[in-house]
Amino acid sequence: MNVQHFVGPNMRSVLTQVRDALGDDALILETQETSRGIEVSAVAELPSQSGLSRSEPSESERFVESVDSADQTRQLDHVLADVADRLASQQEVGAVREEVREEMKSIRTLVESHLARSGWSETSLGSPLKASVMRNLSALGIAPDMVRRLLDKIDPEKLRGKTWAIPMKLLIEELPVIDSAAISANRIALVGPSGAGKTTTIAKLAARHAIESSKEDLAIVSLDNHRLGSSEQIDALARLLGVTVRRPVGDRGVDDLGAELGDTGLTLIDTVGLGQRDTRISEQLARLGENVCTLLVLPANLEHDAMQEMVDAYAGCRHAGIVLTKVDEAATLGAAMSVVLRTGIPLVWISDGQRVPEDLHAAASSQAWLVKHAVELMRKRRISVSERYMAESFYGADNSELVQHG
């Protein structure tokens, strides 16, 4: 039996080779996947012992006639059974390949996890003071990329005994803030998602302006004509201050109120609350018109990714600053500080309660308070970061660039 082997990129091409070399009656003995592709072992049709023409008897009859012993019969059965198994296995190639991919993913995950633990272990042993700073900032909830940025600005020689003091002082210095007096625009719009605290913040700003300046040159515009609760809240505030709430007709913008607003000293604009994935954001921002300063209202009680996504969604306008709200409801302030550090948009106001206007604080004089409050929240919740978190966050596959700090 002259067994020949054929190799090709797929089964169709290999069978074509077999047919061209051995004819249509070739017998396939084995099929397997190799590094070179699909490999098939085959033999030509077995010769007849009777010498009759191909038409009689049939090929199967002539083959059976050549098998004249029990041993040969058992051998043939074994070969045919093996061939049948091989052919059946081809139907499972797709499933096998998927299993292999999953196995490779698992192996890769294990290897990456091992490398991450090794990297963090090297940092912990080789630079313990730097590792301590990384742990402390991470415990505050500061995102890994912002930990790295802060770490780059710290002199490791000065860290001994000050692995808390130095990074906290740096965090206070690095938080971007702006004095509200530096915002010279007389039209200020508060933008952000529903429930962020825009209307409450407008109430606080309006009350503050009425106390410090005059309610005579104060105007309130509401672009939120869809939420009844918001309308009632802003109307109640306006009645208390003796100010009229102005609303553009339909979907018109602030510029359509030009004659009514005149030369008002301060116009506060309450906008429609839209989620970060709402496709109408750009449309609503266009309603603000020209010469309007926007403040992004950022709730401190959101998760980091949701907060960053919100800032990205409202990037269509250049915000003069951020109003950080719901500080009193946040479990951690690290996420908010990370987003502010990353975007560079300065904090203007910080709100930590519902009282009007007492719970609105100027950010320019509140950085130290904000960082101190973040530390208090961490200690109150007894937050600690695991070695696994540190390894995966700073030395995992997605953060391999951080290895330079080891």
Side-chain angles (χ1 to χ4, degrees), residues 14 20 28 33 76 142 203 208 214 218 223 299 302 304 308 315 340 365 398 400-401:
V14 177
D20 292 343
I28 296 175
E33 278 192 290
L76 178 60
I142 303 298
R208 180 181 288 270
S214 170
L218 173 66
L223 299 181
L302 288 182
H304 173 273
Q308 184 63 54
V340 173
S365 58
D398 296 333
S400 57
E401 70 276 8

Side-chain angles (χ1 to χ4, degrees), residues 113-138:
S113 178
H114 174 74
L115 293 175
R117 289 196 301 270
S118 298
W120 173 241
S121 178
E122 182 181 345
T123 296
S124 299
L125 296 174
S127 305
L129 295 178
K130 187 175 288 188
S132 181
V133 170
M134 294 167 70
R135 284 195 193 92
N136 294 341
L137 289 172
S138 297

Side-chain angles (χ1 to χ4, degrees), residues 34-323:
T34 68
S35 59
R36 298 182 299 165
I38 302 297
E39 181 175 338
V40 171
S41 300
V43 296
E45 60 175 343
L46 296 179
S48 170
Q49 292 181 349
S50 63
L52 297 178
S53 65
R54 288 179 57 88
S55 60
E56 56 173 306
S58 68
E59 288 297 317
S60 59
E61 291 172 336
R62 288 191 287 118
F63 183 83
V64 171
E65 289 174 357
S66 69
V67 182
D68 55 3
S69 71
D71 289 340
Q72 289 176 312
T73 300
R74 284 193 295 270
Q75 182 180 3
L76 178 60
D77 290 342
H78 176 74
V79 170
L80 293 177
D82 183 63
V83 170
D85 289 341
R86 294 285 183 177
L87 291 176
S89 69
Q90 292 301 313
Q91 300 175 0
E92 302 174 1
V93 168
V96 171
R97 285 177 177 170
E98 186 61 32
E99 290 180 9
V100 170
R101 289 193 190 99
E102 292 301 320
E103 286 295 326
M104 292 300 294
K105 288 180 181 178
S106 299
I107 293 172
R108 180 177 179 179
T109 300
L110 288 173
V111 171
E112 290 173 350
S113 178
H114 174 74
L115 293 175
R117 289 196 301 270
S118 298
W120 173 241
S121 178
E122 182 181 345
T123 296
S124 299
L125 296 174
S127 305
L129 295 178
K130 187 175 288 188
S132 181
V133 170
M134 294 167 70
R135 284 195 193 92
N136 294 341
L137 289 172
S138 297
L140 279 183
I142 303 298
D145 60 326
M146 292 300 100
V147 171
R148 181 179 76 164
R149 180 186 296 183
L150 294 170
L151 202 58
D152 282 338
K153 300 183 178 183
I154 295 176
D155 182 357
E157 298 298 326
K158 299 179 180 180
L159 282 175
R160 188 169 301 280
K162 298 180 179 180
T163 55
W164 267 111
I166 289 180
M168 294 307 102
K169 182 175 183 294
L170 179 62
L171 186 56
I172 293 170
E173 295 171 350
E174 289 295 311
L175 277 175
V177 295
I178 186 173
D179 193 324
S180 59
I183 301 177
S184 57
N186 61 355
R187 292 185 182 181
I188 298 177
L190 273 66
V191 300
S194 178
K198 296 186 301 297
T199 304
T200 301
T201 301
I202 281 185
K204 294 174 181 177
L205 291 173
R208 180 181 288 270
H209 182 80
I211 294 171
E212 297 178 353
S213 182
S214 170
K215 65 180 181 181
E216 303 301 328
D217 65 345
L218 173 66
I220 297 177
V221 174
S222 176
L223 299 181
D224 192 351
N225 302 324
H226 305 287
R227 292 190 305 123
L228 180 61
S230 175
S231 298
E232 292 176 348
Q233 186 179 3
I234 204 77
D235 288 340
L237 167 69
R239 286 193 299 269
L240 184 63
L241 297 175
V243 178
T244 301
V245 178
R246 295 170 172 81
R247 293 182 172 87
V249 178
D251 291 330
R252 293 185 177 182
V254 177
D255 286 345
D256 295 310
L257 299 173
E260 296 182 50
L261 297 176
D263 296 326
T264 304
L266 177 64
T267 300
L268 297 173
I269 305 168
D270 190 18
T271 62
V272 180
L274 299 175
Q276 55 265 38
R277 298 184 182 88
D278 199 308
T279 57
R280 298 173 295 165
I281 289 178
S282 58
E283 175 186 328
Q284 291 300 318
L285 293 177
R287 296 180 66 193
L288 298 177
E290 300 293 333
N291 303 317
V292 174
C293 166
T294 62
L295 299 180
L296 177 63
V297 181
L298 193 66
N301 60 348
L302 288 182
E303 295 290 336
H304 173 273
D305 290 351
M307 209 177 300
Q308 184 63 54
E309 190 175 1
M310 181 193 302
V311 174
D312 294 341
Y314 282 89
C317 56
R318 299 178 62 181
H319 307 295
I322 288 175
V323 180

